[in-house]
Amino acid sequence: MAKNTPPSPLTETEVPTQIKNPDLVREKRRRIIDSTVTLFIEHGYHKTTTRMIARAANFSIGSLYEYVSSKEDLLYLVCHTIHEEVKEAVEKALAQTQQGKEQLAEAIRQYFYVCDRMADHILLMYQVTQFLPDKWKEQVLSNELDITQIFIDALGSLSGKNNIPKLDDNDLNLVGHNISVLGQMWAFRRWHVQKKFNIEDYIQIQARFILGLIFNR
């Protein structure tokens, strides 16, 4: 998905909004989310106020509260946005006509591109998820596992076909988690990794490593 294309809005039961137009909710919330990430990274979660967020996103404080009701809402929306972008990019790659090794390599590549585009969002998610209410913290963790499950399911569907070795459940699980974590490492270890590699080199090396786990058996 393109960087400026927002994900679907959350349902009313997750983060309520007073606005009934879903397209407007998507547009405005994405603007608020991106401003929130910048401020949280610059000032920290606790020192950032909703008034600061409203100003940065060019909202009045009253208008901001039509879309979210708290900083916790915003933090959850940051996490949700990451998961939605990853899911759409990976599923789109897997739906392409390529088969076997090339199909999996493309899914890995597109996932890593999302991790590059959303590096600030991913870093923030790992830094401040602890401040979410328990029910949302559990949902974020569940969403995280859902992303890994996309790769596990993809590997399972390709296992034993088109010259791909047959993988047992443990292999599928660990390789799926490896893909998920190595993509996110580009964000949360960037203080070191991004000094030594650009994103294209990183993708090439890590994809070779991941595919080696499957094919060099």
Side-chain angles (χ1 to χ4, degrees):
M1 181 162 53
K3 183 175 181 179
N4 63 351
T5 303
S8 300
L10 298 177
T11 65
E12 286 285 331
T13 57
E14 290 174 320
V15 178
T17 173
Q18 299 176 31
I19 307 301
K20 303 305 181 183
N21 183 331
D23 292 332
L24 185 62
V25 171
R26 282 196 301 269
E27 176 190 347
K28 300 296 186 182
R29 277 188 171 174
R30 185 53 186 266
R31 201 166 90 203
I32 295 168
I33 288 165
D34 290 342
S35 297
T36 298
V37 170
T38 300
L39 290 171
F40 280 178
I41 290 174
E42 182 178 354
H43 300 286
Y45 175 79
H46 292 295
K47 291 184 179 179
T48 299
T49 66
T50 51
R51 192 168 295 278
M52 290 166 63
I53 293 168
R55 188 183 309 116
N58 200 27
F59 279 71
S60 69
I61 191 67
S63 295
L64 181 75
Y65 284 128
E66 292 179 343
Y67 294 92
V68 294
S69 60
S70 67
K71 289 195 297 183
E72 289 78 12
D73 281 358
L74 287 166
L75 184 53
Y76 180 80
L77 287 168
V78 169
C79 300
H80 180 83
T81 300
I82 296 167
H83 296 136
E84 287 295 296
E85 291 221 9
V86 169
K87 182 177 180 181
E88 184 163 340
V90 171
E91 290 182 345
K92 183 177 180 180
L94 291 173
Q96 294 180 5
T97 57
Q98 300 176 91
Q99 296 296 319
K101 186 176 182 178
E102 291 75 20
Q103 185 181 32
L104 180 58
E106 181 62 19
I108 293 169
R109 182 178 298 108
Q110 293 305 319
Y111 168 56
F112 279 32
Y113 283 145
V114 173
C115 291
D116 181 46
R117 290 199 306 270
M118 304 198 72
D120 285 344
H121 298 63
I122 291 170
L123 181 63
L124 179 67
M125 180 180 72
Y126 276 96
Q127 288 176 336
V128 297
T129 297
Q130 59 184 310
F131 301 124
L132 284 171
D134 286 343
K135 69 171 184 177
W136 284 358
K137 191 182 301 181
E138 291 173 4
Q139 185 61 49
V140 168
L141 294 176
S142 177
N143 288 347
E144 188 75 4
L145 291 177
D146 285 346
I147 296 301
T148 301
Q149 192 64 44
I150 292 172
F151 290 108
I152 293 173
D153 292 343
L155 288 164
S157 67
L158 298 172
S159 177
K161 303 174 184 176
N162 298 314
N163 297 319
I164 294 180
K166 183 70 175 177
L167 304 173
D168 63 26
D169 288 344
N170 286 334
D171 291 334
L172 293 172
N173 192 280
L174 286 178
V175 175
H177 278 275
N178 266 285
I179 295 170
S180 179
V181 171
L182 288 173
Q184 293 179 358
M185 189 174 78
W186 178 253
F188 60 72
R189 298 282 293 189
R190 63 184 179 180
W191 55 271
H192 176 75
V193 175
Q194 294 187 24
K195 291 179 181 178
K196 295 182 176 293
F197 306 98
N198 61 41
I199 185 59
E200 298 297 339
D201 291 338
Y202 185 81
I203 290 173
Q204 184 178 14
I205 293 168
Q206 295 292 23
R208 187 165 62 239
F209 169 74
I210 293 164
L211 294 173
L213 295 175
I214 299 170
F215 289 90
N216 300 332
R217 300 167 56 81

